[in-house]
Amino acid sequence: MNMKKWLATALACSALALTACGGQSNNASAPADKVYRVGSNAEFAPFESLDSAGKVEGFDVDLMNAMAKAGNFKVEFKHQPWESLFPSLNNGDVDIVMSGVTITDDRKQSMLFSDPYFEITQVVLVPKGKKVASSEDLKNMAKVGVVTGYTGDFSVSKLLGNDNPKIARFESVPLIIKELENGGLDSVVSDSAVIANYVKNNPTKGLDFISLPDFTIENYGIAARKGDEATIKMLNDALKKVRESGEYDKIYAKYFAKEGEKAEAAK
């Protein structure tokens, strides 16, 4: 091969390589081998909890797996403490957070959210027979329990004042409910679907929950890092497909009884 032919061949190969690279960068779909790491605090049944083998399971897991199938991407769930979820997202340890995360204006400042996938409100969990008619009743209680950083924490802090000694903060829903059962709290404020699930599955514990007009409707969303619009688009497209196929309704029916259930799927 003479020098001219060799140069022509080399240039052609270089052009092909550049074209291939350019074509890959313009591909909007997820890489075939990429696995999206989903951060979750598995202490929030029925949305996420750990099975006997230590594997994360629940409504969020089933929904995300259905979305991954519909959107042709791969996911793996990682259980970790609630307070570490958002830092892990920001530093790149996880790609997505799906853990019953309420969409708030404050959180929108530091992360992106998918379209809403579940609608809830805050409720008050109390011993059966205890009357709670308004936020004024909460103000008159000695101890109101919340989970640190949950929406219930924000709601009660707004009502009573962030540093009010009447607010007792715990690390998880199981811990706070146990404290209520042991008599250490007068009430617990947390997400309606989680509290309803506990009351339904533990009828002998003597607890009931009450909805108050003070608490507004909220929506759960899936969080991604600021600037990662591609992942949000992928999630929204997949969520839409799961809803339209009827798969969302099947997953919802698996976890939430229609009769007596106070949480409704987001429309």
Side-chain angles (χ1 to χ4, degrees):
M1 181 183 294
N2 61 34
M3 183 60 69
K4 288 184 178 180
K5 287 184 177 180
W6 183 87
L7 285 171
T9 302
L11 288 171
C13 289
S14 297
L16 284 172
L18 288 171
T19 301
C21 292
Q24 186 176 7
S25 66
N26 290 330
N27 188 355
S29 62
D33 59 346
K34 179 175 176 59
V35 178
Y36 289 86
R37 299 159 298 173
V38 184
S40 177
N41 174 236
E43 298 176 306
F44 201 60
F47 292 94
E48 39 269 320
S49 58
L50 295 177
D51 65 14
S52 58
K55 185 178 179 181
V56 184
E57 64 178 1
F59 176 85
D60 281 355
V61 178
D62 287 3
L63 178 57
M64 178 57 76
N65 284 333
M67 289 168 58
K69 183 177 180 181
N72 195 30
F73 57 91
K74 300 175 183 178
V75 294
E76 62 180 19
F77 274 80
K78 180 183 178 184
H79 165 56
Q80 57 190 85
W82 168 263
E83 63 270 16
S84 73
L85 288 176
F86 301 139
S88 292
L89 178 65
N90 289 330
N91 66 28
D93 287 343
V94 298
D95 305 298
I96 297 166
V97 170
M98 188 178 192
S99 192
V101 180
T102 301
I103 301 171
T104 67
D105 289 338
D106 184 57
R107 287 172 177 163
K108 285 180 180 179
Q109 301 303 310
S110 58
M111 65 194 79
L112 299 178
F113 278 102
S114 70
D115 293 336
Y117 71 88
F118 204 93
E119 183 179 283
I120 57 100
T121 186
Q122 299 301 300
V123 296
V124 184
L125 181 67
V126 292
K128 279 188 176 178
K130 192 175 186 70
K131 303 297 183 183
V132 182
S134 72
S135 60
E136 291 301 316
D137 293 325
L138 292 178
K139 294 177 182 178
N140 294 328
M141 293 180 181
K143 285 293 179 182
V144 179
V146 297
V147 178
T148 303
Y150 278 23
T151 314
D153 186 2
F154 303 149
S155 299
V156 174
S157 295
K158 185 176 180 180
L159 287 171
L160 306 185
N162 186 63
D163 298 324
N164 194 316
K166 293 183 177 184
I167 303 175
R169 294 182 171 90
F170 292 76
E171 294 181 358
S172 69
V173 170
L175 286 176
I176 199 171
I177 292 178
K178 180 59 67 178
E179 185 69 11
L180 178 65
E181 292 172 351
N182 291 338
L185 298 171
D186 295 297
S187 66
V188 164
V189 176
S190 193
D191 296 35
S192 54
V194 174
I195 296 301
N197 179 73
Y198 183 84
V199 171
K200 180 180 68 175
N201 292 319
N202 296 273
T204 63
K205 297 295 185 178
L207 299 177
D208 200 1
F209 64 100
I210 301 166
S211 298
L212 295 182
D214 307 81
F215 301 135
T216 58
I217 297 296
E218 303 165 358
N219 286 288
Y220 290 160
I222 309 166
R225 278 185 293 280
K226 274 283 190 180
D228 193 3
E229 285 83 3
T231 293
I232 291 298
K233 183 180 186 308
M234 178 189 75
L235 294 171
N236 285 339
D237 290 346
L239 178 59
K240 182 179 179 181
K241 289 177 182 178
V242 171
R243 286 189 183 281
E244 290 176 345
S245 70
E247 188 65 20
Y248 181 98
D249 294 332
K250 292 178 183 178
I251 297 170
Y252 181 88
K254 174 182 174 181
Y255 289 95
F256 304 103
K258 293 181 180 179
E259 183 178 354
E261 180 57 53
K262 296 188 178 183
E264 295 181 357
K267 301 301 182 183

